[in-house]
Amino acid sequence: MSQEAPTFSPLYRQIKALILQALESGEWRPGQAIPSEQELASRFSVSQGTVRKAIDEMAAENLLVRKQGKGTYVASHNDPRALFRFLRLVPMDGDLSHPQSVPLDCWRAKAGQEASRMLGIELGAPIIIVRRLLKFANKPVVIDEIYLSGEIFQGLTAEVLQGWSGSLYSLFETRFGLRMIRAQERIRAVAADRNASEALKVAEGTPLLSVERVTYTYGDKPVEWRRGLYSTAEHFYLNELS
């Protein structure tokens, strides 16, 4: 029987893993500059070219942001440029104005089988469920039901949501120290039921996009599961492939 060869990780990937560990531990916070390539090369006893390659890959993955003449910073959801990274619904008129998030409900519950599986938590563990509308130009376009770990998001209430003017992800980052790194979505077409038609101001039976998302933080840990219904009468779902 032949033995499997050990997996080989290029040196720059090893450096990338070490930088990720520092980000996960909070050594450098969102929006904060990381040390220079020269300083990191000295710290990890590698060449600047190796560090640069690791940083290039992390910048391509939106984990870090290069700022011309200023250095490299930890990506932050508070950066306006980050808004449409996770929000893929774009107005047909091209106006990328900031949407308004309107919280409807926020309550505590116990994780059922699906929430337990999606969030990687114990069955019956505490969760927080948020319902909110997303409005563009004061028109309701998205209705979301969002499931969060009650342990991670202790202190999240309807009052906190109502008092926040930015995006939900910037709230999660600022208040709970949680940065969303990547998301996986499943999209299908559905017909608006009575509840969706009332929330989105569309007729029952109107075609909607059903978007189910699981969002992950560092360490590939799932921290949010949301189910949204999108009205696409005046919007389209944009996904850039490269």
Side-chain angles (χ1 to χ4, degrees), residues 90-112:
V90 178
M92 288 182 179
D93 61 11
D95 179 16
L96 295 181
S97 57
H98 200 292
Q100 178 190 7
S101 179
V102 182
L104 302 176
D105 294 297
C106 178
W107 72 96
R108 279 160 175 71
K110 293 183 178 180

Side-chain angles (χ1 to χ4, degrees), residues 173-222:
E173 178 182 290
T174 302
R175 177 113 183 193
F176 301 97
L178 198 72
R179 172 151 178 79
M180 304 304 197
I181 300 303
R182 71 175 186 91
Q184 185 178 70
E185 290 187 334
R186 294 188 294 181
I187 303 174
R188 61 190 178 93
V190 298
D193 61 13
R194 181 178 177 182
N195 290 335
S197 71
E198 290 177 355
L200 297 174
K201 310 295 186 202
V202 297
E204 285 191 48
T206 297
L208 302 173
L209 280 185
S210 167
V211 181
E212 183 177 359
R213 175 192 299 175
V214 178
T215 317
Y216 300 81
T217 188
Y218 296 115
D220 228 22
K221 176 179 172 58

